[in-house]
Structure formats: C-alpha cells, structure tokens
Amino acid sequence: MHIEYFTRIVPNTALDRSRVVLVRTSLPANIGAAARAMLTMGLTRLVLVAPKSFPHPDATALAAGAASVLENARVVATLDDALAETSLSIGLSARPRKFAGRVFQLREAAAHAVGVAHERDVALVFGTEMSGLSNDELARCSAVATIAANPDYGSLNVAAAVQVVAWEMRMAAQGGAVWRAPRFAPATHDDVEALYAHATRTLAALRFYDPARPRRLLPRLRRLFARTSLEREEVNILRGILARIDDVCAHDVER
C-alpha cells in the first residue's frame, strides 16, 4: 500500500511538465535537498518511488524554502506508477550499461526533454544513493543520460545530480538570462575630453608627463578612457581626485 501526497498542477511550460523521479531513496535528507535543487531551477513535480522514509523532518529541514515541493510530492510503489502518462523518461546513469537504449550527453538530453515537454509529460529518473538505477529500472526508461563528470571520480550525491540536471533543463527551457547591475548615465564626449585635459595638466604639474617628450602616455590614457566606457559619476570622481592633487601641489609650491 502506498500513500499519495500529490496535488496535480495544470502544466503551462516545459518545466511544469517535467517530473523528477527518485527511486528507493534511503536518506530523507537527500529528498529534501533534491526538492531544494529542483525549485531553485523552476521544477516543482517530484515523484518518490518507495522511499525508505517520507515524510520526514530531515527532508523538510534540507528542503529549506522548498517545502511546497515536498508537500505536493507524489509517493508511489513502483517505477511504472511514476512513469505513468509520460511520453519520455530519461534515466540518469554514470555507469555504462550493455543493453542501454539511446544514450544522451546530459545537455543533449535536456534539450530533447524540453522539446517533448512543450506538449507532453517527461520524467527525469534517479536511482538509489548506493547503486543508482538497476538494469531493469533503466530499461523501463525511454533513454539514458549521463553527466560528464570526472572519469576518475564520477560519484555525485543524488541531490547534486538533481541540481545539475535541473540546471540543464532550465537552460534548455529558458536560456541563461541573469540579473544585470544597474546602469548609470554614461559620460559624454565632452566629459571625457575635459577629464583628459585635466589629467594632462595635473600630470605635467607632477612632472610625470613632459610635454617636450610626450612619448605614448597621453595616447595610452585616451585608449584607457575609451575602453572603460566611463560613466559621468566616475568622471566626476576622477576629476575630484585630480583637483585634490592640484590643491596639494599648489600648497607645496607656496611653502
């Protein structure tokens, strides 16, 4: 007998149609950590096949702010139950299997899964902490995917594996848009030219720049200012520094 802890959500994106299936997970903490990894990347559908212990306080603790994923998780008795109504299931395996079907590199697998999930449900299937998916369980999946880890040490915690797969799914579904730092008013041509002239005067007063032997200092400065795309406030700061240097130089001359 198994218990259902699942509230069906009407899917509207490829990520909504993608379920993560954890098979016979031993440690409740790994279930919680996997839920956190999922929600971070926008995956919310978790199916647990015969977990050793769930629900459990350790799962809730490791889920952090992703308790909703656990609350809506579906607990089933068999992998067949977990794969019901899916059109594609991808089993994750680090070990080569003699009778595996299609084997995808993870990025390719994610792109394929997202393409299917625009219209039909897909499943991403992970095995136990100790041995992964059995040959029989992997054979029930439509395809196999593997994470290109260090060949000398390819051991990933199940929650870490979920995180990697979830990230690839998000990149395939939505691309890699990231937050941007605020942009401030750019310096105008006149602002930069005034800074250049001010720097020329100050450097000459410091005897760092010799107008009689200009060499390449000023062209280098001009190139530096152009390459950095100065903002107006940055020009004001630099001119303030130069003005303070001018004051100190003038004071020293008076003494």
Short mmCIF file of all heavy atoms in Angstrom, two decimals, residues 175-245:
data_model
loop_
_atom_site.label_atom_id
_atom_site.label_comp_id
_atom_site.label_asym_id
_atom_site.label_seq_id
_atom_site.Cartn_x
_atom_site.Cartn_y
_atom_site.Cartn_z
N GLY A 175 16.88 29.48 -21.36
CA GLY A 175 18.11 30.19 -21.64
C GLY A 175 18.78 30.66 -20.37
O GLY A 175 18.31 30.40 -19.26
N GLY A 176 19.89 31.36 -20.55
CA GLY A 176 20.71 31.73 -19.39
C GLY A 176 20.61 33.17 -18.97
O GLY A 176 21.62 33.78 -18.60
N ALA A 177 19.42 33.76 -19.02
CA ALA A 177 19.27 35.15 -18.61
C ALA A 177 19.64 35.31 -17.15
O ALA A 177 19.26 34.50 -16.30
CB ALA A 177 17.83 35.61 -18.83
N VAL A 178 20.40 36.33 -16.84
CA VAL A 178 20.82 36.60 -15.47
C VAL A 178 20.49 38.04 -15.11
O VAL A 178 20.17 38.85 -15.97
CB VAL A 178 22.34 36.35 -15.29
CG1 VAL A 178 22.69 34.90 -15.56
CG2 VAL A 178 23.16 37.25 -16.21
N TRP A 179 20.57 38.34 -13.82
CA TRP A 179 20.31 39.72 -13.38
C TRP A 179 21.42 40.63 -13.86
O TRP A 179 22.55 40.20 -14.10
CB TRP A 179 20.17 39.80 -11.87
CG TRP A 179 21.42 39.42 -11.10
CD1 TRP A 179 21.80 38.18 -10.69
CD2 TRP A 179 22.45 40.31 -10.67
NE1 TRP A 179 22.98 38.23 -10.03
CE2 TRP A 179 23.43 39.53 -10.00
CE3 TRP A 179 22.66 41.69 -10.78
CZ2 TRP A 179 24.57 40.09 -9.45
CZ3 TRP A 179 23.81 42.23 -10.23
CH2 TRP A 179 24.75 41.43 -9.57
N ARG A 180 21.07 41.88 -14.04
CA ARG A 180 22.03 42.87 -14.51
C ARG A 180 22.24 43.95 -13.46
O ARG A 180 21.30 44.36 -12.78
CB ARG A 180 21.52 43.53 -15.80
CG ARG A 180 21.28 42.55 -16.95
CD ARG A 180 22.55 41.92 -17.43
NE ARG A 180 22.29 41.03 -18.57
CZ ARG A 180 23.19 40.17 -19.05
NH1 ARG A 180 24.37 40.06 -18.47
NH2 ARG A 180 22.89 39.40 -20.06
N ALA A 181 23.47 44.40 -13.35
CA ALA A 181 23.76 45.53 -12.46
C ALA A 181 23.15 46.80 -13.05
O ALA A 181 23.02 46.92 -14.27
CB ALA A 181 25.27 45.70 -12.30
N PRO A 182 22.73 47.75 -12.21
CA PRO A 182 22.14 48.98 -12.75
C PRO A 182 23.13 49.75 -13.59
O PRO A 182 24.33 49.75 -13.32
CB PRO A 182 21.75 49.76 -11.47
CG PRO A 182 22.61 49.19 -10.40
CD PRO A 182 22.81 47.75 -10.74
N ARG A 183 22.62 50.39 -14.60
CA ARG A 183 23.45 51.22 -15.47
C ARG A 183 23.21 52.69 -15.10
O ARG A 183 22.08 53.12 -14.88
CB ARG A 183 23.09 51.01 -16.93
CG ARG A 183 23.33 49.59 -17.42
CD ARG A 183 24.81 49.24 -17.45
NE ARG A 183 25.55 50.08 -18.37
CZ ARG A 183 26.86 50.11 -18.47
NH1 ARG A 183 27.60 49.36 -17.66
NH2 ARG A 183 27.46 50.89 -19.35
N PHE A 184 24.30 53.46 -15.06
CA PHE A 184 24.20 54.87 -14.73
C PHE A 184 24.52 55.71 -15.97
O PHE A 184 24.97 55.18 -16.99
CB PHE A 184 25.17 55.20 -13.59
CG PHE A 184 24.87 54.43 -12.33
CD1 PHE A 184 25.59 53.26 -12.02
CD2 PHE A 184 23.88 54.83 -11.46
CE1 PHE A 184 25.32 52.55 -10.88
CE2 PHE A 184 23.61 54.12 -10.31
CZ PHE A 184 24.32 52.97 -10.01
N ALA A 185 24.28 57.00 -15.85
CA ALA A 185 24.45 57.88 -17.01
C ALA A 185 25.88 57.81 -17.54
O ALA A 185 26.84 58.00 -16.78
CB ALA A 185 24.10 59.32 -16.63
N PRO A 186 26.04 57.53 -18.83
CA PRO A 186 27.39 57.46 -19.39
C PRO A 186 28.00 58.85 -19.52
O PRO A 186 27.28 59.85 -19.67
CB PRO A 186 27.17 56.82 -20.76
CG PRO A 186 25.77 57.20 -21.12
CD PRO A 186 25.01 57.24 -19.84
N ALA A 187 29.30 58.89 -19.45
CA ALA A 187 29.99 60.17 -19.68
C ALA A 187 29.86 60.57 -21.14
O ALA A 187 29.91 59.72 -22.03
CB ALA A 187 31.46 60.04 -19.30
N THR A 188 29.68 61.85 -21.38
CA THR A 188 29.62 62.34 -22.76
C THR A 188 31.04 62.52 -23.30
O THR A 188 32.03 62.47 -22.56
CB THR A 188 28.88 63.68 -22.82
OG1 THR A 188 29.66 64.67 -22.10
CG2 THR A 188 27.49 63.57 -22.21
N HIS A 189 31.10 62.78 -24.59
CA HIS A 189 32.40 63.06 -25.21
C HIS A 189 33.06 64.27 -24.53
O HIS A 189 34.27 64.25 -24.24
CB HIS A 189 32.21 63.34 -26.71
CG HIS A 189 33.44 63.79 -27.39
ND1 HIS A 189 34.47 62.95 -27.74
CD2 HIS A 189 33.84 65.05 -27.77
CE1 HIS A 189 35.43 63.64 -28.32
NE2 HIS A 189 35.08 64.92 -28.36
N ASP A 190 32.26 65.29 -24.25
CA ASP A 190 32.80 66.49 -23.61
C ASP A 190 33.32 66.19 -22.21
O ASP A 190 34.36 66.72 -21.79
CB ASP A 190 31.72 67.58 -23.53
CG ASP A 190 31.35 68.12 -24.91
OD1 ASP A 190 32.12 67.88 -25.86
OD2 ASP A 190 30.29 68.76 -25.02
N ASP A 191 32.61 65.31 -21.47
CA ASP A 191 33.05 64.92 -20.13
C ASP A 191 34.43 64.27 -20.18
O ASP A 191 35.33 64.59 -19.38
CB ASP A 191 32.07 63.94 -19.49
CG ASP A 191 30.71 64.54 -19.18
OD1 ASP A 191 30.65 65.77 -18.94
OD2 ASP A 191 29.72 63.78 -19.19
N VAL A 192 34.59 63.34 -21.11
CA VAL A 192 35.85 62.60 -21.21
C VAL A 192 36.99 63.51 -21.67
O VAL A 192 38.11 63.43 -21.17
CB VAL A 192 35.69 61.40 -22.16
CG1 VAL A 192 37.02 60.68 -22.36
CG2 VAL A 192 34.65 60.42 -21.61
N GLU A 193 36.69 64.40 -22.60
CA GLU A 193 37.72 65.32 -23.08
C GLU A 193 38.17 66.27 -21.97
O GLU A 193 39.36 66.59 -21.85
CB GLU A 193 37.20 66.12 -24.28
CG GLU A 193 37.14 65.30 -25.57
CD GLU A 193 38.50 64.76 -25.96
OE1 GLU A 193 39.47 65.55 -26.04
OE2 GLU A 193 38.61 63.53 -26.16
N ALA A 194 37.22 66.69 -21.13
CA ALA A 194 37.58 67.57 -20.01
C ALA A 194 38.45 66.81 -19.01
O ALA A 194 39.42 67.35 -18.46
CB ALA A 194 36.31 68.10 -19.33
N LEU A 195 38.12 65.53 -18.76
CA LEU A 195 38.95 64.69 -17.89
C LEU A 195 40.34 64.52 -18.48
O LEU A 195 41.35 64.61 -17.77
CB LEU A 195 38.28 63.33 -17.71
CG LEU A 195 39.11 62.25 -16.99
CD1 LEU A 195 39.44 62.68 -15.57
CD2 LEU A 195 38.37 60.91 -17.00
N TYR A 196 40.42 64.27 -19.77
CA TYR A 196 41.70 64.08 -20.45
C TYR A 196 42.56 65.34 -20.32
O TYR A 196 43.75 65.27 -19.98
CB TYR A 196 41.44 63.75 -21.91
CG TYR A 196 42.66 63.52 -22.75
CD1 TYR A 196 43.36 62.33 -22.70
CD2 TYR A 196 43.11 64.51 -23.62
CE1 TYR A 196 44.49 62.12 -23.48
CE2 TYR A 196 44.24 64.31 -24.41
CZ TYR A 196 44.92 63.11 -24.33
OH TYR A 196 46.04 62.91 -25.11
N ALA A 197 41.95 66.50 -20.54
CA ALA A 197 42.69 67.76 -20.43
C ALA A 197 43.15 68.00 -19.00
O ALA A 197 44.28 68.45 -18.76
CB ALA A 197 41.83 68.91 -20.92
N HIS A 198 42.27 67.73 -18.05
CA HIS A 198 42.60 67.92 -16.64
C HIS A 198 43.76 67.00 -16.23
O HIS A 198 44.72 67.42 -15.56
CB HIS A 198 41.37 67.65 -15.78
CG HIS A 198 41.51 68.12 -14.36
ND1 HIS A 198 40.42 68.29 -13.52
CD2 HIS A 198 42.60 68.45 -13.62
CE1 HIS A 198 40.85 68.70 -12.34
NE2 HIS A 198 42.17 68.81 -12.37
N ALA A 199 43.69 65.73 -16.66
CA ALA A 199 44.74 64.77 -16.34
C ALA A 199 46.07 65.20 -16.95
O ALA A 199 47.13 65.08 -16.31
CB ALA A 199 44.36 63.38 -16.83
N THR A 200 46.01 65.75 -18.15
CA THR A 200 47.24 66.22 -18.81
C THR A 200 47.91 67.33 -18.00
O THR A 200 49.12 67.32 -17.77
CB THR A 200 46.92 66.71 -20.23
OG1 THR A 200 46.31 65.64 -20.98
CG2 THR A 200 48.18 67.18 -20.94
N ARG A 201 47.09 68.29 -17.53
CA ARG A 201 47.64 69.40 -16.75
C ARG A 201 48.23 68.91 -15.43
O ARG A 201 49.32 69.31 -15.03
CB ARG A 201 46.54 70.43 -16.47
CG ARG A 201 46.02 71.14 -17.71
CD ARG A 201 45.16 72.35 -17.32
NE ARG A 201 44.04 72.00 -16.45
CZ ARG A 201 42.84 71.64 -16.91
NH1 ARG A 201 42.63 71.56 -18.22
NH2 ARG A 201 41.86 71.37 -16.07
N THR A 202 47.48 68.03 -14.74
CA THR A 202 47.94 67.56 -13.44
C THR A 202 49.20 66.72 -13.56
O THR A 202 50.15 66.89 -12.77
CB THR A 202 46.82 66.75 -12.76
OG1 THR A 202 45.66 67.57 -12.61
CG2 THR A 202 47.26 66.25 -11.39
N LEU A 203 49.26 65.86 -14.53
CA LEU A 203 50.44 65.01 -14.71
C LEU A 203 51.66 65.83 -15.10
O LEU A 203 52.80 65.52 -14.70
CB LEU A 203 50.17 63.93 -15.76
CG LEU A 203 49.11 62.88 -15.35
CD1 LEU A 203 48.81 61.96 -16.52
CD2 LEU A 203 49.59 62.09 -14.14
N ALA A 204 51.42 66.89 -15.85
CA ALA A 204 52.54 67.79 -16.20
C ALA A 204 53.03 68.52 -14.95
O ALA A 204 54.24 68.67 -14.74
CB ALA A 204 52.09 68.78 -17.27
N ALA A 205 52.09 68.97 -14.10
CA ALA A 205 52.48 69.66 -12.87
C ALA A 205 53.25 68.73 -11.94
O ALA A 205 54.15 69.16 -11.21
CB ALA A 205 51.23 70.21 -12.16
N LEU A 206 52.92 67.44 -11.97
CA LEU A 206 53.62 66.46 -11.15
C LEU A 206 54.96 66.05 -11.78
O LEU A 206 55.70 65.26 -11.17
CB LEU A 206 52.75 65.20 -10.98
CG LEU A 206 51.51 65.33 -10.11
CD1 LEU A 206 50.66 64.07 -10.23
CD2 LEU A 206 51.90 65.57 -8.66
N ARG A 207 55.19 66.52 -12.99
CA ARG A 207 56.37 66.13 -13.77
C ARG A 207 56.38 64.64 -14.12
O ARG A 207 57.43 64.06 -14.36
CB ARG A 207 57.66 66.52 -13.02
CG ARG A 207 57.80 68.01 -12.78
CD ARG A 207 59.09 68.34 -12.06
NE ARG A 207 59.16 69.79 -11.78
CZ ARG A 207 60.15 70.36 -11.09
NH1 ARG A 207 61.13 69.60 -10.60
NH2 ARG A 207 60.15 71.65 -10.87
N PHE A 208 55.22 64.08 -14.11
CA PHE A 208 55.08 62.70 -14.57
C PHE A 208 54.98 62.68 -16.09
O PHE A 208 55.36 61.71 -16.73
CB PHE A 208 53.84 62.06 -13.94
CG PHE A 208 53.68 60.59 -14.21
CD1 PHE A 208 54.37 59.65 -13.46
CD2 PHE A 208 52.85 60.14 -15.23
CE1 PHE A 208 54.25 58.30 -13.72
CE2 PHE A 208 52.72 58.80 -15.49
CZ PHE A 208 53.42 57.87 -14.73
N TYR A 209 54.44 63.79 -16.63
CA TYR A 209 54.31 63.95 -18.08
C TYR A 209 55.11 65.16 -18.52
O TYR A 209 54.97 66.25 -17.95
CB TYR A 209 52.83 64.12 -18.46
CG TYR A 209 52.60 64.67 -19.84
CD1 TYR A 209 52.98 63.94 -20.96
CD2 TYR A 209 51.98 65.90 -20.02
CE1 TYR A 209 52.78 64.45 -22.23
CE2 TYR A 209 51.76 66.41 -21.28
CZ TYR A 209 52.17 65.68 -22.39
OH TYR A 209 51.97 66.19 -23.64
N ASP A 210 55.96 64.95 -19.51
CA ASP A 210 56.80 66.03 -20.04
C ASP A 210 56.29 66.38 -21.43
O ASP A 210 56.46 65.61 -22.39
CB ASP A 210 58.26 65.56 -20.11
CG ASP A 210 59.19 66.68 -20.59
OD1 ASP A 210 58.70 67.77 -20.92
OD2 ASP A 210 60.40 66.43 -20.65
N PRO A 211 55.65 67.55 -21.59
CA PRO A 211 55.13 67.94 -22.90
C PRO A 211 56.21 67.97 -23.98
O PRO A 211 55.91 67.76 -25.16
CB PRO A 211 54.55 69.34 -22.65
CG PRO A 211 54.26 69.36 -21.19
CD PRO A 211 55.34 68.54 -20.55
N ALA A 212 57.46 68.21 -23.58
CA ALA A 212 58.54 68.25 -24.58
C ALA A 212 58.90 66.84 -25.07
O ALA A 212 59.45 66.69 -26.16
CB ALA A 212 59.77 68.93 -23.97
N ARG A 213 58.61 65.85 -24.24
CA ARG A 213 58.88 64.46 -24.63
C ARG A 213 57.65 63.61 -24.28
O ARG A 213 57.64 62.86 -23.31
CB ARG A 213 60.12 63.96 -23.89
CG ARG A 213 61.38 64.80 -24.15
CD ARG A 213 62.55 64.30 -23.34
NE ARG A 213 62.90 62.92 -23.70
CZ ARG A 213 63.77 62.17 -23.00
NH1 ARG A 213 64.31 62.66 -21.88
NH2 ARG A 213 64.05 60.95 -23.39
N PRO A 214 56.62 63.78 -25.07
CA PRO A 214 55.32 63.18 -24.70
C PRO A 214 55.30 61.66 -24.71
O PRO A 214 54.52 61.05 -23.99
CB PRO A 214 54.36 63.76 -25.74
CG PRO A 214 55.22 64.12 -26.89
CD PRO A 214 56.54 64.56 -26.32
N ARG A 215 56.15 61.06 -25.55
CA ARG A 215 56.14 59.60 -25.71
C ARG A 215 54.72 59.10 -25.98
O ARG A 215 54.00 59.68 -26.78
CB ARG A 215 56.76 58.93 -24.48
CG ARG A 215 58.24 59.34 -24.23
CD ARG A 215 58.84 58.59 -23.05
NE ARG A 215 60.20 59.05 -22.77
CZ ARG A 215 61.28 58.60 -23.40
NH1 ARG A 215 61.16 57.67 -24.34
NH2 ARG A 215 62.47 59.07 -23.10
N ARG A 216 54.30 58.02 -25.27
CA ARG A 216 52.99 57.41 -25.58
C ARG A 216 52.01 57.51 -24.41
O ARG A 216 50.97 56.84 -24.39
CB ARG A 216 53.19 55.94 -25.96
CG ARG A 216 54.09 55.75 -27.17
CD ARG A 216 54.31 54.27 -27.47
NE ARG A 216 53.09 53.61 -27.86
CZ ARG A 216 52.62 53.57 -29.11
NH1 ARG A 216 53.28 54.18 -30.09
NH2 ARG A 216 51.51 52.94 -29.40
N LEU A 217 52.34 58.32 -23.41
CA LEU A 217 51.49 58.39 -22.22
C LEU A 217 50.08 58.84 -22.55
O LEU A 217 49.09 58.19 -22.17
CB LEU A 217 52.12 59.31 -21.17
CG LEU A 217 51.26 59.55 -19.93
CD1 LEU A 217 50.99 58.25 -19.18
CD2 LEU A 217 51.91 60.58 -19.01
N LEU A 218 49.95 59.96 -23.25
CA LEU A 218 48.62 60.51 -23.50
C LEU A 218 47.78 59.62 -24.41
O LEU A 218 46.58 59.42 -24.13
CB LEU A 218 48.74 61.93 -24.06
CG LEU A 218 49.37 62.95 -23.09
CD1 LEU A 218 49.32 64.36 -23.69
CD2 LEU A 218 48.68 62.93 -21.72
N PRO A 219 48.34 59.07 -25.50
CA PRO A 219 47.53 58.12 -26.28
C PRO A 219 47.07 56.92 -25.46
O PRO A 219 45.96 56.41 -25.64
CB PRO A 219 48.47 57.70 -27.41
CG PRO A 219 49.42 58.84 -27.56
CD PRO A 219 49.61 59.37 -26.17
N ARG A 220 47.93 56.44 -24.54
CA ARG A 220 47.53 55.33 -23.68
C ARG A 220 46.39 55.71 -22.76
O ARG A 220 45.46 54.94 -22.50
CB ARG A 220 48.74 54.86 -22.85
CG ARG A 220 49.77 54.09 -23.63
CD ARG A 220 49.28 52.69 -23.93
NE ARG A 220 50.30 51.88 -24.56
CZ ARG A 220 50.11 50.63 -24.94
NH1 ARG A 220 48.93 50.06 -24.73
NH2 ARG A 220 51.06 49.94 -25.53
N LEU A 221 46.48 56.93 -22.20
CA LEU A 221 45.39 57.40 -21.35
C LEU A 221 44.08 57.50 -22.12
O LEU A 221 43.02 57.08 -21.65
CB LEU A 221 45.74 58.77 -20.76
CG LEU A 221 46.56 58.80 -19.47
CD1 LEU A 221 46.77 60.25 -19.03
CD2 LEU A 221 45.89 58.01 -18.36
N ARG A 222 44.17 58.03 -23.31
CA ARG A 222 42.97 58.18 -24.13
C ARG A 222 42.37 56.80 -24.44
O ARG A 222 41.15 56.62 -24.41
CB ARG A 222 43.30 58.94 -25.42
CG ARG A 222 42.06 59.37 -26.20
CD ARG A 222 42.44 60.17 -27.43
NE ARG A 222 42.91 61.51 -27.10
CZ ARG A 222 42.09 62.53 -26.83
NH1 ARG A 222 40.78 62.34 -26.81
NH2 ARG A 222 42.58 63.73 -26.57
N ARG A 223 43.22 55.86 -24.73
CA ARG A 223 42.76 54.49 -25.01
C ARG A 223 42.12 53.88 -23.77
O ARG A 223 41.09 53.19 -23.85
CB ARG A 223 43.94 53.64 -25.47
CG ARG A 223 43.58 52.21 -25.85
CD ARG A 223 44.78 51.53 -26.50
NE ARG A 223 44.48 50.17 -26.88
CZ ARG A 223 44.72 49.10 -26.13
NH1 ARG A 223 45.30 49.25 -24.94
NH2 ARG A 223 44.41 47.88 -26.54
N LEU A 224 42.73 54.12 -22.61
CA LEU A 224 42.17 53.60 -21.36
C LEU A 224 40.78 54.18 -21.11
O LEU A 224 39.84 53.45 -20.79
CB LEU A 224 43.10 53.97 -20.20
CG LEU A 224 42.58 53.68 -18.78
CD1 LEU A 224 42.35 52.18 -18.59
CD2 LEU A 224 43.54 54.22 -17.74
N PHE A 225 40.63 55.49 -21.27
CA PHE A 225 39.33 56.12 -21.04
C PHE A 225 38.28 55.57 -22.01
O PHE A 225 37.12 55.34 -21.63
CB PHE A 225 39.44 57.64 -21.19
CG PHE A 225 40.29 58.30 -20.13
CD1 PHE A 225 40.84 59.56 -20.35
CD2 PHE A 225 40.56 57.67 -18.93
CE1 PHE A 225 41.62 60.18 -19.38
CE2 PHE A 225 41.34 58.27 -17.96
CZ PHE A 225 41.87 59.53 -18.19
N ALA A 226 38.67 55.36 -23.26
CA ALA A 226 37.72 54.86 -24.26
C ALA A 226 37.31 53.43 -23.96
O ALA A 226 36.14 53.05 -24.10
CB ALA A 226 38.34 54.96 -25.65
N ARG A 227 38.25 52.61 -23.53
CA ARG A 227 37.98 51.19 -23.31
C ARG A 227 37.09 50.93 -22.10
O ARG A 227 36.34 49.96 -22.06
CB ARG A 227 39.30 50.44 -23.14
CG ARG A 227 39.17 48.92 -23.21
CD ARG A 227 40.51 48.20 -23.23
NE ARG A 227 41.22 48.31 -21.97
CZ ARG A 227 42.34 49.00 -21.78
NH1 ARG A 227 42.88 49.69 -22.78
NH2 ARG A 227 42.92 49.04 -20.59
N THR A 228 37.17 51.79 -21.11
CA THR A 228 36.42 51.56 -19.87
C THR A 228 34.99 52.06 -19.91
O THR A 228 34.21 51.82 -18.98
CB THR A 228 37.13 52.24 -18.68
OG1 THR A 228 37.37 53.62 -19.00
CG2 THR A 228 38.45 51.56 -18.39
N SER A 229 34.58 52.75 -20.98
CA SER A 229 33.20 53.25 -21.08
C SER A 229 32.79 53.98 -19.80
O SER A 229 31.87 53.56 -19.08
CB SER A 229 32.22 52.11 -21.37
OG SER A 229 32.55 51.48 -22.59
N LEU A 230 33.47 55.02 -19.49
CA LEU A 230 33.27 55.74 -18.24
C LEU A 230 31.85 56.26 -18.09
O LEU A 230 31.21 56.68 -19.06
CB LEU A 230 34.24 56.92 -18.16
CG LEU A 230 35.72 56.56 -17.95
CD1 LEU A 230 36.59 57.78 -18.23
CD2 LEU A 230 35.94 56.06 -16.54
N GLU A 231 31.39 56.23 -16.85
CA GLU A 231 30.11 56.85 -16.51
C GLU A 231 30.39 58.28 -16.02
O GLU A 231 31.50 58.60 -15.58
CB GLU A 231 29.41 56.05 -15.43
CG GLU A 231 29.02 54.65 -15.90
CD GLU A 231 28.59 53.74 -14.76
OE1 GLU A 231 28.71 54.15 -13.58
OE2 GLU A 231 28.13 52.62 -15.05
N ARG A 232 29.37 59.12 -16.08
CA ARG A 232 29.55 60.53 -15.71
C ARG A 232 30.01 60.67 -14.26
O ARG A 232 30.90 61.48 -13.96
CB ARG A 232 28.24 61.29 -15.92
CG ARG A 232 28.29 62.75 -15.48
CD ARG A 232 27.11 63.52 -16.03
NE ARG A 232 27.23 63.72 -17.47
CZ ARG A 232 26.28 64.29 -18.22
NH1 ARG A 232 25.14 64.66 -17.68
NH2 ARG A 232 26.48 64.45 -19.51
N GLU A 233 29.44 59.88 -13.36
CA GLU A 233 29.82 59.95 -11.96
C GLU A 233 31.28 59.53 -11.77
O GLU A 233 31.99 60.09 -10.93
CB GLU A 233 28.90 59.07 -11.11
CG GLU A 233 29.10 59.20 -9.61
CD GLU A 233 28.83 60.59 -9.07
OE1 GLU A 233 28.03 61.33 -9.70
OE2 GLU A 233 29.42 60.95 -8.03
N GLU A 234 31.72 58.55 -12.55
CA GLU A 234 33.12 58.13 -12.47
C GLU A 234 34.06 59.23 -12.94
O GLU A 234 35.13 59.44 -12.35
CB GLU A 234 33.32 56.86 -13.32
CG GLU A 234 32.60 55.65 -12.74
CD GLU A 234 32.54 54.48 -13.70
OE1 GLU A 234 32.71 54.70 -14.93
OE2 GLU A 234 32.32 53.35 -13.24
N VAL A 235 33.67 59.94 -13.98
CA VAL A 235 34.47 61.08 -14.44
C VAL A 235 34.56 62.13 -13.34
O VAL A 235 35.64 62.70 -13.07
CB VAL A 235 33.88 61.69 -15.73
CG1 VAL A 235 34.53 63.04 -16.04
CG2 VAL A 235 34.07 60.73 -16.89
N ASN A 236 33.42 62.38 -12.67
CA ASN A 236 33.42 63.37 -11.59
C ASN A 236 34.35 62.95 -10.45
O ASN A 236 35.05 63.78 -9.86
CB ASN A 236 32.00 63.56 -11.06
CG ASN A 236 31.09 64.24 -12.07
OD1 ASN A 236 31.58 64.92 -12.98
ND2 ASN A 236 29.79 64.07 -11.92
N ILE A 237 34.36 61.65 -10.13
CA ILE A 237 35.25 61.16 -9.07
C ILE A 237 36.71 61.35 -9.47
O ILE A 237 37.53 61.84 -8.67
CB ILE A 237 34.96 59.67 -8.78
CG1 ILE A 237 33.59 59.52 -8.11
CG2 ILE A 237 36.05 59.07 -7.89
CD1 ILE A 237 33.12 58.09 -8.00
N LEU A 238 37.04 60.96 -10.69
CA LEU A 238 38.42 61.10 -11.15
C LEU A 238 38.86 62.56 -11.18
O LEU A 238 39.98 62.91 -10.78
CB LEU A 238 38.58 60.47 -12.54
CG LEU A 238 38.47 58.94 -12.57
CD1 LEU A 238 38.46 58.44 -14.01
CD2 LEU A 238 39.62 58.30 -11.79
N ARG A 239 37.98 63.44 -11.61
CA ARG A 239 38.33 64.85 -11.63
C ARG A 239 38.45 65.42 -10.22
O ARG A 239 39.26 66.30 -9.95
CB ARG A 239 37.31 65.64 -12.45
CG ARG A 239 37.35 65.29 -13.94
CD ARG A 239 36.82 66.39 -14.80
NE ARG A 239 37.64 67.61 -14.69
CZ ARG A 239 37.34 68.75 -15.30
NH1 ARG A 239 36.24 68.84 -16.05
NH2 ARG A 239 38.10 69.81 -15.17
N GLY A 240 37.65 64.88 -9.30
CA GLY A 240 37.79 65.29 -7.91
C GLY A 240 39.14 64.88 -7.35
O GLY A 240 39.78 65.65 -6.60
N ILE A 241 39.60 63.68 -7.70
CA ILE A 241 40.92 63.23 -7.26
C ILE A 241 42.01 64.12 -7.85
O ILE A 241 42.94 64.56 -7.14
CB ILE A 241 41.15 61.76 -7.68
CG1 ILE A 241 40.18 60.84 -6.91
CG2 ILE A 241 42.60 61.34 -7.43
CD1 ILE A 241 40.16 59.41 -7.41
N LEU A 242 41.87 64.42 -9.13
CA LEU A 242 42.86 65.29 -9.78
C LEU A 242 42.86 66.69 -9.15
O LEU A 242 43.92 67.29 -8.95
CB LEU A 242 42.56 65.39 -11.28
CG LEU A 242 42.79 64.11 -12.10
CD1 LEU A 242 42.26 64.30 -13.52
CD2 LEU A 242 44.26 63.73 -12.12
N ALA A 243 41.67 67.19 -8.83
CA ALA A 243 41.58 68.52 -8.22
C ALA A 243 42.27 68.53 -6.85
O ALA A 243 42.94 69.50 -6.47
CB ALA A 243 40.12 68.93 -8.08
N ARG A 244 42.10 67.43 -6.09
CA ARG A 244 42.77 67.36 -4.79
C ARG A 244 44.28 67.32 -4.96
O ARG A 244 45.03 67.95 -4.20
CB ARG A 244 42.27 66.10 -4.04
CG ARG A 244 42.92 65.92 -2.68
CD ARG A 244 42.67 67.11 -1.77
NE ARG A 244 43.30 66.93 -0.48
CZ ARG A 244 43.69 67.91 0.33
NH1 ARG A 244 43.53 69.19 -0.06
NH2 ARG A 244 44.22 67.66 1.49
N ILE A 245 44.75 66.58 -5.97
CA ILE A 245 46.18 66.55 -6.26
C ILE A 245 46.67 67.95 -6.62
O ILE A 245 47.74 68.40 -6.18
CB ILE A 245 46.48 65.55 -7.40
CG1 ILE A 245 46.19 64.12 -6.93
CG2 ILE A 245 47.93 65.67 -7.87
CD1 ILE A 245 46.25 63.09 -8.03
#
